[in-house]
Amino acid sequence: MALRLVQVNFKARDDSALGRFWAEALGWGVSSEGPGVTNVEPVGFDWPDPTAVCVDVVTVPDPETVKYRAHLDLATTSAAHQAELVARLKELGATPADVGQGDVPWTVLADPEGNVFCVLEPRPIYQDTGPIAAVVVDCADPRAMARFWDEAMDWTLHEVSDDHARLRSAKGVGPYLEFIRTAGEKTVWTRVHLDLLPYRGDDKAAEVARLQTLGATLADVGQGDVPWVVLADPEGNEFCVLGRA
């Protein structure tokens, strides 16, 4: 049994508007599985596929009450591409953000609803990831998070240290999932969490039970009666286990 990371979920005041921003930002298309939900994925994409981690934007009554510790890092291929992408994102409605990063080679922006993300300088490791270089989660203990998520998913652990851990799909494609040590309480505003999916033929309830043996706990974020299960990892970050594809 195993799970795979298939999408990041944004809580939003306006799923359609925020979905359009991220579609333009990533060069992807939009669709909708129902009212209040905008799906952002590569054009012609056959979900789920490890070549991309998609973006699901969901309208909720009061997204201001929800704070998570995940954000997106966007990849660039050259200094010119980075500058061009930052300029285009600002035209789309992104704004500069100061999270105490100081003088760094990447650019920190906030999307139109205030979710912080980064446009990275070109780095060889991210040259084949697609527009999303990494889904990044701030944490207190990257080694502990790596142990949990390496067991939780069928992704491959590529690197782990006291300050950083990095996983990627076992097929060696798509973005990375990274855990970065962050001192103190999280202050960056973000409403992004991870969505995992069982493989066809695997049982969702069995997967949820397995995650609990690894240290996950059931979480109530007001979801009510829904077909997915909300859990929290050992550091309290909520994530969802979806129904089968």
Side-chain angles (χ1 to χ4, degrees), residues 89-127:
L89 291 166
K90 289 179 180 178
E91 290 177 358
L92 293 172
T95 53
D98 185 352
V99 295
Q101 68 269 22
D103 184 17
V104 293
W106 58 88
T107 301
V108 184
L109 299 172
D111 72 17
E113 290 209 9
N115 299 295
V116 170
F117 65 98
C118 298
V119 180
L120 302 180
E121 77 284 3
R123 302 182 191 181
I125 191 172
Y126 300 130
Q127 292 308 294

Side-chain angles (χ1 to χ4, degrees), residues 35-101:
V37 180
T38 297
N39 311 111
V40 182
E41 57 189 33
V43 176
F45 187 71
D46 186 16
W47 187 90
D49 187 292
T51 57
V53 171
C54 299
V55 174
D56 227 27
V57 186
V58 180
T59 293
V60 296
D62 186 11
E64 300 294 346
T65 65
V66 182
K67 287 187 180 181
Y68 298 113
R69 293 189 291 173
H71 71 267
L72 299 183
D73 280 355
L74 304 188
T76 62
T77 57
S78 66
H81 180 210
Q82 182 186 18
E84 174 188 326
L85 180 56
V86 168
R88 185 167 65 83
L89 291 166
K90 289 179 180 178
E91 290 177 358
L92 293 172
T95 53
D98 185 352
V99 295
Q101 68 269 22

Side-chain angles (χ1 to χ4, degrees), residues 132-143:
I132 299 176
V135 181
V136 181
V137 181
D138 293 311
C139 67
D141 187 345
R143 290 188 183 277

Side-chain angles (χ1 to χ4, degrees), residues 167-184:
L167 300 93
R168 196 183 194 190
S169 163
K171 295 186 180 299
V173 296
Y176 290 85
L177 175 63
E178 300 184 358
F179 296 93
I180 307 295
R181 180 185 292 278
T182 305

Side-chain angles (χ1 to χ4, degrees), residues 145-161:
M145 292 291 273
R147 283 194 297 271
F148 172 81
W149 285 96
D150 187 33
E151 291 288 335
M153 302 193 303
D154 68 343
W155 283 29
T156 300
L157 181 62
H158 283 255
E159 178 185 348
V160 62
S161 70

